[in-house]
Amino acid sequence: MTAHTPLLEKLAAEYGTPLYVYDLERVDAARRDLFGALPDGFEVFYAFKANPHVELVRALRTGEGPACKAEISSAGELAAALEAGYPGTDILYTGPGKTRDELAGAMAGGVRLFSAESLSDLTHIGAAARAHGVRAEALLRINSATAGAGTSIRMTGKPTQFGIDSETVAGIAAQLREVPGVSVAGLHLFSQSNARDEQSLIAELLHSIDVAAAMQEDLGVRLRILDIGGGFAAPYAQAGGRDRYPGLRVALEEKLDAAFPGWRQGEPRLAVESGRYLVGDSGTLLAGVSNVKVSRGRKFVILDAGINTFGGMSGLGRLLPVSVAVDTDGDGRAVEKASLVGPLCTPGDILGREVEVPEAAEGDVLTIPNAGAYGPTASLLMFLGRPAPTEAVVRGDEVVHVSRIEHIRTPV
């Protein structure tokens, strides 16, 4: 057994594996750290795509200190936000493919702030608002032609379904301003994910502020809200801690003082968004060893958790390639190199090739750290029909909630 704390051992014994354990105390700490790194008055939108578990997103809204708002992009995420107690006024609805039904549901749920990815998307938002008898506000997502720094995952500067190409804004500004049912309230810039270091993060966020100042002139609209994106980094299924940003606050304050002198009075309101930074280190994945075998001199540790449980979406490029690490200290066993593979009947079910693991035997439980983001709902959850992993939410040593997603085919 390598689940090194009594609580993890107890939960694995009681609920079996694969098992996710999320600690709300870690969520609280991440929220404090992120707000503490930002200038006073900044809003933080939590990206539900990282982990939409209702108990986690509720914890980001409640408790001591500033509350996170919700950034969602589907009807399912909207349902989770409303269940967790987010009012519609604290929700930003994003995404390039908002359907008529989704927009209608969002309006009915009280959402009034949307990220518009194109003129036609803005038109759809306006039409849905008018059909609901309300007026919506939109942040125009901008696909900047330039970048401030190299990052692990670039989101702009190329042809993409995301955002309005920055060089076209001036030419369509009048059309953007005149869409019935919706007001252009500001801009949404999101150019990177998981910045490689503080310097890269700061360079990109400062560049986003420069782009926003230029876009304000091109649009002929005074910005009331400016979302400069994110990129706050945290390890993914590897040992280590979240990045720290001691220089971020001052750098943002100096740039904003020059570009938007009224920002300290809320003109415009400033926001960032974050997913993995807020929940990544809250999660631990416990995976049971089903079998151990050697093939042509290489050892394979076969787990009950595979790409249906963790990281199955990494092949799409949204996540880093999966190469998990397991905790190797605490039980005194020797460490060896082995490939960690899952239970699925496909050669692609690999969590790590030739990674360090404690000498494992059938029935052992391995512990994968920093698994709180992009877990079950970012995996091939229904592939081959295996049960979803159990998810336990704790606060320190107290068990708050235990559940499992069920696959149910429903007649329509």
Side-chain angles (χ1 to χ4, degrees):
M1 187 85 169
T2 58
H4 297 315
T5 72
L7 177 62
L8 292 180
E9 292 187 7
K10 175 177 179 285
L11 291 172
E14 183 170 355
Y15 297 107
T17 58
L19 171 68
Y20 280 90
V21 181
Y22 309 119
D23 190 343
L24 298 181
E25 289 185 351
R26 300 300 307 156
V27 176
D28 293 343
R31 181 175 66 168
R32 286 194 302 268
D33 287 347
L34 184 52
F35 273 106
L38 296 166
D40 293 341
F42 258 75
E43 299 172 2
V44 173
F45 283 92
Y46 170 63
F48 271 46
K49 67 177 70 70
N51 190 331
H53 194 296
V54 170
E55 295 299 329
L56 270 67
V57 299
R58 181 181 287 119
L60 288 165
R61 185 185 63 82
T62 60
E64 296 181 3
C68 291
K69 297 186 176 183
E71 184 262 297
I72 65 170
S73 58
S74 71
E77 290 182 345
L78 172 62
L82 296 176
E83 183 180 349
Y86 287 81
T89 51
D90 283 350
I91 297 174
L92 169 63
Y93 204 112
T94 69
K98 309 175 194 71
T99 67
R100 180 180 301 173
D101 287 344
E102 287 172 346
L103 288 169
M107 296 294 174
V111 180
R112 296 294 179 266
L113 183 62
F114 297 81
S115 175
E117 308 275 0
S118 61
L119 175 58
S120 55
D121 189 29
L122 185 66
T123 301
H124 298 159
I125 294 166
R130 285 186 292 127
H132 202 72
V134 300
R135 188 168 183 81
E137 293 189 309
L139 306 182
L140 303 180
R141 183 164 178 175
I142 302 299
N143 177 18
S144 174
T146 57
T151 63
S152 60
I153 303 176
R154 283 232 53 84
M155 305 287 286
T156 58
K158 57 187 178 183
T160 173
Q161 70 269 43
F162 297 107
I164 303 169
D165 295 342
S166 57
E167 65 273 21
T168 69
V169 170
I172 61 172
Q175 293 170 273
L176 292 166
R177 293 194 304 264
E178 294 167 5
V179 173
V182 60
S183 301
V184 175
L187 299 176
H188 178 197
L189 296 104
F190 191 93
S191 58
Q192 65 177 338
S193 181
N194 215 44
R196 64 188 179 192
D197 52 37
E198 184 183 32
Q199 182 180 1
S200 297
L201 177 77
I202 289 175
E204 199 67 42
L205 294 179
L206 298 188
H207 179 70
S208 292
I209 294 169
D210 285 334
V211 171
M215 291 298 99
Q216 180 171 243
E217 295 298 318
D218 288 346
L219 277 169
V221 171
R222 181 179 62 82
L223 302 183
R224 290 178 280 120
I225 307 171
L226 174 57
D227 180 348
I228 59 174
F232 307 100
Y236 183 59
Q238 300 282 331
R242 288 176 281 102
D243 284 12
R244 296 294 190 267
Y245 303 109
L248 179 59
R249 174 189 288 260
V250 171
L252 287 176
E253 288 175 342
E254 291 177 350
K255 174 63 74 171
L256 288 166
D257 283 340
F260 294 97
W263 75 273
R264 293 179 188 269
Q265 290 75 49
E267 298 178 356
R269 289 164 42 203
L270 276 301
V272 296
E273 53 198 79
S274 178
R276 78 180 74 205
Y277 191 87
L278 289 167
V279 298
D281 75 350
S282 73
T284 301
L285 172 59
L286 306 181
V289 177
S290 301
N291 196 9
V292 179
K293 63 168 287 187
V294 176
S295 175
R296 296 197 168 99
R298 288 181 55 193
K299 179 168 283 190
F300 291 81
V301 176
I302 303 169
L303 306 175
D304 56 12
I307 57 175
N308 61 317
T309 301
F310 185 79
M313 295 291 283
S314 62
L316 299 180
R318 178 64 185 87
L319 308 177
L320 300 176
V322 171
S323 181
V324 306
V326 299
D327 288 338
T328 57
D329 58 348
D331 59 7
R333 285 189 291 172
V335 173
E336 61 183 359
K337 289 287 186 73
S339 292
L340 293 175
V341 301
L344 303 184
C345 191
T346 169
D349 192 15
I350 299 173
L351 295 185
R353 290 183 172 89
E354 295 297 295
V355 299
E356 288 191 343
V357 299
E359 288 186 344
E362 183 178 333
D364 284 348
V365 176
L366 301 185
T367 304
I368 299 170
N370 289 313
Y374 301 110
T377 56
S379 302
L380 304 180
L381 201 57
M382 292 187 67
F383 187 44
L384 288 173
R386 297 185 71 88
T390 302
E391 296 174 276
V393 180
V394 303
R395 181 172 288 282
D397 291 331
E398 176 192 359
V399 178
V400 175
H401 186 270
V402 181
S403 61
R404 178 188 289 116
I405 298 170
E406 297 291 347
H407 313 320
I408 300 173
R409 192 179 300 277
T410 303
V412 296

